[in-house]
Amino acid sequence: MDTSIPSLLLVLWLKSFLNWLVVVIQRHYMIRTFSGFFCISLALIDSLLSFVLTAIFYLEDVSISGWHFTRYYICLLTQIACFIYAMLHWPVFLLVGLDHFWTLSSSSRHTSWTQKLTYIAGVCLLWILAALYVFRVDDVALLFGDDEKHQCKLFSSPQSSQILVALLLTVTFVMLYSYTPFEKWRVQVFLHSTQQCCLFCLRRVMHTFLSTWASFLVLMIIAPLLMIEMHAQLQLNVVWLSFLNSFSVALTLCLRSFATNFQKTDTITDGFCSWFVLHMELTSVIMDNKLTALKLKH
């Protein structure tokens, strides 16, 4: 897609503002998970990139330590950023899911300084590996725009669409299963003693997730239908990462609720969905289910 440089800079500054707005509002949750630390790093990198590109645009021709920068570098740096951002959707989504699963499996109730340092190191390593992959492994083909019209040729990332499709299929399957009327099919999958607990968990988790993110999910579905194009740098933003974080919590909480050693914890950290209240409800249902099973045995 062809994007004019002035409109590109405006959109990048608006994205940076939105990133920092979400980070500041959710600051108490951002410093407790891998997803939060990655959101902070993304906001910092976006702000730095916006400042550098704006400076190059207004100075037009500047030399710094022997490096000669012109407006051509605006498109060059933006395209390199697009290549790096395009590679990060799946790795971040998988690492966020592993982090939540580990957090719910742990008995610790607070994020220690060791965990925070591990998150910072992991985020830095992820950015470095993505950059190395783009420059050393991936075949980077830069697209030259129209320098006279001050336009850049940018591209979108297929990973965001892949994750969205996988998310929609998962939500659809869970909703269909949890509300299916075929009791015999349910018994074949789960034991009767845990069947009602599992179904309650599926329904409550999906209800909590959809009640919070339904409007954003509809927007993500309608955008491709309306032929709204976003380049890779815009697709990776803090709101999108918060959406994926909530979905990861939903899946992890549901899976952990089925475990026999499931215990109450307050380490679920998501400032958008009320997971802690749901977690307390699921814990109560699971304990009641276990007591009922023990009574039936005796």
Side-chain angles (χ1 to χ4, degrees):
M1 69 187 75
D2 292 330
T3 305
S4 64
I5 294 179
S7 62
L8 172 63
L9 296 177
L10 177 61
V11 170
L12 290 181
W13 277 112
L14 290 176
K15 179 196 173 186
S16 299
F17 173 76
L18 179 61
N19 287 345
W20 282 114
L21 180 64
V22 177
V23 168
V24 171
I25 293 176
Q26 301 292 329
R27 60 187 179 275
H28 298 296
Y29 301 95
M30 290 292 176
I31 59 175
R32 299 177 63 182
T33 62
F34 176 84
S35 175
F37 278 95
F38 188 84
C39 288
I40 295 173
S41 70
L42 179 63
L44 288 171
I45 292 175
D46 280 341
S47 299
L48 178 61
L49 183 62
S50 300
F51 176 78
V52 171
L53 295 181
T54 303
I56 294 175
F57 178 75
Y58 282 103
L59 296 177
E60 294 188 0
D61 193 354
V62 61
S63 296
I64 301 177
S65 301
W67 292 84
H68 189 67
F69 294 94
T70 62
R71 288 189 176 182
Y72 162 78
Y73 284 90
I74 295 177
C75 296
L76 178 64
L77 293 175
T78 305
Q79 288 181 12
I80 292 175
C82 285
F83 277 107
I84 295 175
Y85 283 37
M87 303 302 302
L88 290 172
H89 291 268
W90 275 113
V92 171
F93 178 64
L94 295 176
L95 289 174
V96 168
L98 291 175
D99 175 48
H100 286 305
F101 188 83
W102 174 264
T103 301
L104 288 176
S105 301
S106 175
S107 59
S108 175
R109 291 178 175 267
H110 301 284
T111 305
S112 63
W113 281 104
T114 303
Q115 287 179 288
K116 293 181 180 180
L117 293 176
T118 303
Y119 290 151
I120 294 174
V123 168
C124 294
L125 182 61
L126 184 60
W127 281 107
I128 292 173
L129 291 177
L132 290 177
Y133 180 83
V134 168
F135 285 107
R136 295 184 179 273
V137 180
D138 195 20
D139 295 330
V140 178
L142 298 177
L143 304 175
F144 297 97
D146 192 340
D147 187 60
E148 295 182 356
K149 296 181 179 179
H150 303 298
Q151 290 186 340
C152 299
K153 290 185 177 295
L154 304 177
F155 60 92
S156 59
S157 171
Q159 290 193 10
S160 60
S161 301
Q162 294 170 2
I163 293 179
L164 182 62
V165 171
L167 186 149
L168 289 174
L169 291 176
T170 302
V171 172
T172 302
F173 173 79
V174 171
M175 295 299 291
L176 289 177
Y177 171 75
S178 61
Y179 286 98
T180 181
F182 302 106
E183 298 292 336
K184 294 182 179 180
W185 181 77
R186 288 175 180 171
V187 175
Q188 292 176 359
V189 181
F190 295 105
L191 295 177
H192 180 71
S193 59
T194 60
Q195 178 184 355
Q196 295 300 324
C197 176
C198 294
L199 294 177
F200 176 80
C201 171
L202 293 176
R203 292 170 184 170
R204 293 292 293 127
V205 166
M206 287 298 105
H207 178 268
T208 302
F209 173 73
L210 293 176
S211 63
T212 303
W213 291 102
S215 57
F216 181 80
L217 187 60
V218 171
L219 178 63
M220 294 300 296
I221 296 174
I222 293 178
L225 300 178
L226 298 178
M227 305 300 292
I228 299 176
E229 295 182 331
M230 290 193 302
H231 56 81
Q233 192 177 5
L234 289 182
Q235 289 176 327
L236 189 67
N237 54 76
V238 173
V239 177
W240 167 254
L241 293 176
S242 300
F243 171 71
L244 296 183
N245 180 64
S246 295
F247 182 68
S248 297
V249 173
L251 289 182
T252 307
L253 182 60
C254 195
L255 291 174
R256 287 297 303 166
S257 298
F258 299 150
T260 56
N261 59 344
F262 181 78
Q263 296 177 352
K264 184 175 68 174
T265 178
D266 60 356
T267 54
I268 304 174
T269 52
D270 182 0
F272 291 91
C273 301
S274 56
W275 295 119
F276 181 71
V277 176
L278 172 62
H279 198 85
M280 297 294 291
E281 293 179 2
L282 296 179
T283 303
S284 176
V285 171
I286 291 170
M287 295 304 297
D288 292 341
N289 184 73
K290 290 180 178 179
L291 291 176
T292 303
L294 290 175
K295 291 180 181 179
L296 291 176
K297 288 182 181 181
H298 294 289

